[in-house]
């Protein structure tokens, strides 16, 4: 694990602890600037290993081989990665122990940048990040939030748990079973927005968190994952392919083109059921009238359409309902749309709301099975949904 200079350097101690709790051995290399923020003694004490800080040993250390730290390592993580270190890595410079290790290392590399918003948004940084991605480096994108300098914007180091999840995804999956290996999973996420005019839209509430959790769970169980996303404002996750589909029509096109190559489809997106018949050019002038009537038309039901086209795919739909009759409506939806599983959640229940980290779901199907789960994090819900779908996925994969 490489640690570079920045306020976020203290968070690497958490990253180190989580990695160790998960059974990974970690050796730390720090830049000199990082040492101004956190002492190497802290990393040495936690890792139980010597911390590398210098390219050269003391005069009395003739056998000092600065790249020995790379030996036997499965992965290199740089967290936090400063703008300066990122630029050196992109250039192939080797002026510090950390960048020399990077240049000499032949395994996978994960980089979690953290810096001031201006630096992150600078075209030079964007170029360097693009160069590293092109070199095969896995990025854990920084989050948007309050930064050390008091500004609010992108640049804050991703949460330590997200960094560890990315590391483990690259290492080959956190799931001991790897039970979705070779399975291609298509997930729609977010909420579509249907334009009324050049600036206004009608849309559905959805943060995309449930879809993101499903994608990460599928990836960690070994699946190849494609996410068709509508207006999701969450950091993209490593090891997942994304396609943008902001409207119901774009989502229909993207899903139809990805569907033939998938084994499992999960329609988690809140697709608008109606859209304005035609979007007005420019901006409607509110001074023109006290009321506005927008003629709406039905959108295509993507899930039902794909169910009719299905080959051997396992189909999973969601039913976000409001209030007690919702469960019956969800059961009926499963039959009407001819899908294998419908995941019901009642947005009226505390903790099952659209934007939160948790969900309260009932998994209806496959067959006659029905499982009501207590409130739990969306990632845990995602795991239970895949557990429920697994027998079907394997049965279809065998027969295909
Ligand atoms: N869905 C879809 N295409 C649409 C609308 C919904 O594929 N145009 C999918 C959703 O992604 C979800 C499932 O269908 O997986 C159920 O969505 P929901 O909005 O709950 O149900 P509707 O089909 O819209 O039915 P209702 O009128 O009862 O709300």
């Amino acid at each position: 694990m490489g640690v570079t200079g920045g306020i976020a350097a203290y968070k690497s101690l958490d990253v180190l602890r989580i990695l160790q709790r998960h059974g990974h051995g970690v050796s730390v290399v720090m830049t000199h600037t990082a040492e101004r923020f956190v002492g190497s003694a802290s990393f040495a004490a936690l890792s139980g290993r010597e911390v590398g800080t210098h390219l050269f040993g003391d005069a009395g250390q003739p056998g000092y081989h600065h790249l020995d730290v790379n030996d036997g390592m499965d992965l290199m993580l740089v967290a936090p990665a400063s703008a300066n270190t990122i630029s050196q890595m992109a250039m192939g410079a080797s002026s510090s122990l950390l960048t020399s290790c990077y240049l000499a290392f032949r395994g996978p590399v994960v980089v979690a940048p953290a810096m001031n918003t201006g630096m992150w948004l600078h075209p030079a940084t964007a170029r360097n990040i693009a160069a590293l991605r092109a070199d095969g480096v896995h990025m854990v994108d920084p989050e948007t939030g309050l930064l050390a300098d008091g500004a609010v914007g992108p640049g804050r180091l991703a949460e330590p748990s997200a960094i560890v999840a990315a590391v483990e995804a690259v290492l080959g999956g956190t799931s001991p079973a790897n039970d979705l290996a070779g399975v291609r999973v298509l997930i729609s996420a977010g909420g579509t927005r249907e334009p009324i005019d050049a600036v206004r839209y009608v849309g559905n509430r959805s943060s995309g968190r449930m879809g993101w959790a499903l994608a990460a769970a599928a990836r960690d169980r070994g699946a190849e994952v494609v996410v068709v996303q509508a207006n999701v404002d969450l950091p993209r996750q490593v090891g997942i392919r994304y396609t943008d589909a902001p409207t119901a029509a774009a989502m229909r096109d993207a899903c139809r083109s990805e569907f033939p190559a998938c084994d499992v489809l999960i329609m988690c997106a809140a697709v608008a059921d109606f859209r304005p018949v035609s979007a007005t050019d420019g901006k409607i002038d509110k001074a023109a009238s006290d009321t506005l009537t927008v003629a709406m038309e039905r959108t295509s039901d993507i899930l039902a359409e794909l169910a009719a086209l299905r080959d051997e795919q396992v189909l999973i739909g969601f039913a976000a309902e409001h209030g007690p009759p919702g469960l019956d409506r969800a059961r009926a939806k499963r039959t009407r749309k001819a899908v294998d599983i419908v995941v019901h959640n009642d947005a009226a229940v505390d903790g099952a709301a659209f934007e939160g980290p948790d969900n309260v779901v009932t998994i209806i199907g496959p067959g006659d099975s029905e499982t009501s789960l207590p409130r739990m994090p969306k990632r845990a819900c995602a795991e239970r949904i895949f557990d429920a779908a697994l027998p079907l996925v394997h049965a279809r994969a065998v027969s295909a």
Side-chain angles (χ1 to χ4, degrees):
M1 179 165 90
V3 181
T4 78
I7 283 287
Y10 78 92
K11 286 198 195 169
S12 334
L13 293 167
D14 277 343
V15 176
L16 172 56
R17 300 178 92 117
I18 301 173
L19 284 168
Q20 284 185 314
R21 270 209 304 273
H22 289 200
H24 304 287
V26 185
S27 294
V28 176
V29 165
M30 302 176 78
T31 61
H32 294 306
T33 329
E35 284 186 279
R36 301 182 72 136
F37 292 88
V38 188
S40 61
S42 303
F43 288 101
L46 281 182
S47 68
R49 299 184 184 184
E50 208 175 314
V51 172
T53 51
H54 292 78
L55 257 180
F56 300 103
D58 298 332
Q61 274 184 283
Y64 183 83
H65 293 297
H66 61 265
L67 297 177
D68 282 358
V69 66
N70 276 357
D71 292 349
M73 292 295 161
D74 299 307
L75 178 143
M76 180 173 185
L77 164 70
V78 186
S82 65
N84 180 45
T85 294
I86 286 170
S87 78
Q88 292 189 29
M89 289 167 72
M91 234 175 2
S94 56
S95 45
S96 69
L97 178 59
L98 193 158
T99 50
S100 299
C101 286
Y102 167 69
L103 211 53
F105 187 62
R106 296 274 60 86
V109 178
V110 176
V111 166
M115 64 195 74
N116 147 286
T117 296
M119 285 175 152
W120 174 250
L121 295 176
H122 197 284
T125 304
R127 258 195 325 270
N128 292 331
I129 294 281
L132 287 182
R133 281 192 209 275
D135 289 343
V137 169
H138 303 271
M139 286 290 161
V140 188
D141 286 340
E143 294 179 352
T144 295
L146 182 64
L147 292 153
D149 55 14
V152 175
R156 196 169 69 177
L157 184 71
E159 281 307 312
S161 58
I163 296 172
V164 171
V167 164
E168 292 181 329
V170 174
L171 281 174
T174 46
S175 162
N178 225 19
D179 51 13
L180 291 174
V183 176
R184 294 159 302 179
V185 179
L186 172 60
I187 298 167
S188 69
T192 68
R193 294 176 182 173
E194 313 303 324
I196 296 173
D197 64 14
V199 294
R200 304 179 178 95
Y201 61 83
V202 205
N204 279 315
R205 283 174 64 188
S206 171
S207 65
R209 284 183 210 286
M210 192 63 232
W212 252 231
L214 283 160
R219 173 199 65 192
D220 292 347
R221 293 169 83 141
E224 197 183 302
V225 187
V226 182
V227 173
V228 175
Q229 74 87 21
N231 311 299
V232 177
D233 190 19
L234 295 172
R236 299 205 168 182
Q237 312 176 100
V238 288
I240 292 167
R241 180 159 69 81
Y242 294 87
T243 300
D244 297 333
T247 62
M251 180 156 282
R252 175 176 181 249
D253 290 347
C255 288
R256 285 180 77 115
S257 88
E258 298 284 353
F259 186 65
C262 85
D263 303 302
V264 179
L265 165 72
I266 309 180
M267 279 301 295
C268 184
V271 186
D273 291 316
F274 294 91
R275 71 172 149 240
V277 173
S278 61
T280 306
D281 285 337
K283 188 178 169 191
I284 297 168
D285 183 3
K286 72 173 180 220
S289 167
D290 284 340
T291 58
L292 172 67
T293 305
V294 180
M296 308 273 275
E297 65 185 2
R298 285 282 293 271
T299 57
S300 316
D301 189 318
I302 304 168
L303 187 55
E305 266 186 22
L306 294 178
L309 293 174
R310 90 154 103 179
D311 186 8
E312 286 285 338
Q313 287 95 340
V314 174
L315 302 188
I316 303 176
F318 268 73
E321 302 289 347
H322 205 273
L327 200 51
D328 275 338
R329 283 168 51 87
R331 291 182 188 119
K333 220 169 267 189
R334 178 168 159 242
T335 317
R336 190 172 73 237
K337 301 202 185 198
V339 299
D340 299 298
I341 294 174
V342 161
V343 181
H344 164 266
N345 71 308
D346 185 349
V349 169
D350 188 30
F354 298 107
E355 274 99 18
D358 297 338
N359 212 345
V360 185
V361 303
T362 299
I363 303 173
I364 307 168
D368 294 333
S369 64
E370 198 169 297
T371 314
S372 292
L373 298 172
R375 175 177 177 164
M376 59 177 74
K378 285 180 174 169
R379 173 61 190 254
C381 287
E383 299 288 356
R384 300 297 292 267
I385 293 165
F386 284 115
D387 290 345
L390 209 57
L392 266 187
V393 174
H394 286 169
R396 301 265 170 87
V398 168
S399 71

